[in-house]
Amino acid sequence: MATGTDLALPLLLARLYDEVLRRYNEALRTVGCTAEEWWVLTFLAREGGRPMHEIAEFAGLPKPTLTKVVDRMVAGNLAYRRVDVTDRRRVLVSCTVRGLETHARARGAVGAVEADLERLVGGAKLAGLRDALAEAASRLP
């Protein structure tokens, strides 16, 4: 059986992403949202009403995918769209009260997943991994 050091980095990252995303989605399902919706809610809860391109950049989602996610969130009363008063050509997406409540409940679900991951690999290793990935991502074009 191949060990982690025998596997190519993209394969290791893909396996880790798939497993962590599965755990997030399983936990978030209990509060009525997906990981993609969680990422959008997290950004909007922190930043307020924002244009789609900023949300897409934060969430790492292609714009067509983000449009579908936001459409679903609007239909579920988690978010709403409004015209930007400073530039009527732009549309801003904001959290609804229900979206903020869902985000608050989701924080607990995500916290439980992250606590499980810390127990699995160790808090220091998980923090180091997060820091290394964030640094690498910040250096990408």
Side-chain angles (χ1 to χ4, degrees):
M1 180 169 189
T3 65
T5 57
D6 295 333
L7 298 175
L9 182 61
L11 184 56
L12 286 169
L13 291 171
R15 286 183 178 179
L16 182 61
Y17 174 81
D18 289 345
E19 179 58 24
V20 171
L21 187 61
R22 184 192 65 74
R23 290 173 184 226
Y24 266 62
N25 276 319
E26 186 177 289
L28 289 167
R29 193 173 304 118
T30 67
V31 297
C33 73
T34 65
E36 292 85 3
E37 291 167 348
W38 158 250
W39 299 329
V40 173
L41 288 172
T42 296
F43 184 68
L44 295 177
R46 186 181 72 209
E47 301 293 330
R50 306 307 308 162
M52 292 287 280
H53 73 275
E54 289 181 19
I55 301 167
E57 184 178 322
F58 173 83
L61 296 172
K63 289 177 185 167
T65 301
L66 177 63
T67 298
K68 291 175 188 168
V69 169
V70 170
D71 287 347
R72 196 170 56 236
M73 293 174 70
V74 168
N77 195 28
L78 298 174
Y80 65 95
R81 293 180 177 100
R82 64 181 166 83
V83 174
D84 185 345
V85 295
T86 62
D87 182 351
R88 304 216 29 93
R89 296 169 295 175
R90 268 190 352 173
V91 173
L92 303 178
V93 179
S94 299
C95 284
T96 62
V97 170
R98 182 169 186 248
L100 291 172
E101 291 168 350
T102 300
H103 180 260
R105 287 192 317 276
R107 271 198 318 258
V110 167
V113 170
E114 294 200 0
D116 285 345
L117 292 172
E118 283 181 7
R119 281 190 292 279
L120 186 65
V121 299
K125 283 184 179 180
L126 189 60
L129 175 61
R130 186 187 311 267
D131 290 345
L133 290 172
E135 181 180 341
S138 74
R139 294 180 182 196
L140 294 175

